[in-house]
Amino acid sequence: IDLARWQSLAASDPGGEQLVDGLNREFMHGSMSANVRGHILNAVLAVDQANSLKRAQTAIYLVTTSPQFQVQR
């Protein structure tokens, strides 16, 4: 899986919000709840900002394993 797009976004977004919002649009069609968004954003921010690949992987993993994503599929 090519994560270059998401890694680039994570590298240019120190607050993580653009990354999480982008994944929300792409994977969940904008239906992510504020609660889930907050939890994913906190997890992304817990990853060192210098490790943009790990930030992207963490965000994608959490979005795609969230109950809301499972229902949306």
Side-chain angles (χ1 to χ4, degrees), residues 37-51:
R37 182 185 181 277
H39 286 296
I40 294 172
L41 186 57
N42 286 338
V44 168
L45 293 175
V47 177
D48 183 17
Q49 183 180 346
N51 193 346

Side-chain angles (χ1 to χ4, degrees), residues 4-61:
R5 173 181 169 205
W6 301 110
Q7 183 178 359
S8 175
L9 188 56
S12 66
D13 179 28
E17 293 180 355
Q18 293 176 0
L19 174 63
V20 175
D21 290 343
L23 290 169
N24 179 24
R25 279 190 307 277
E26 294 286 328
F27 288 91
M28 300 179 72
H29 308 288
S31 67
M32 185 184 295
S33 71
N35 187 39
V36 170
R37 182 185 181 277
H39 286 296
I40 294 172
L41 186 57
N42 286 338
V44 168
L45 293 175
V47 177
D48 183 17
Q49 183 180 346
N51 193 346
S52 58
L53 178 59
K54 183 68 172 175
R55 274 189 165 203
Q57 289 172 328
T58 298
I60 291 168
Y61 174 78

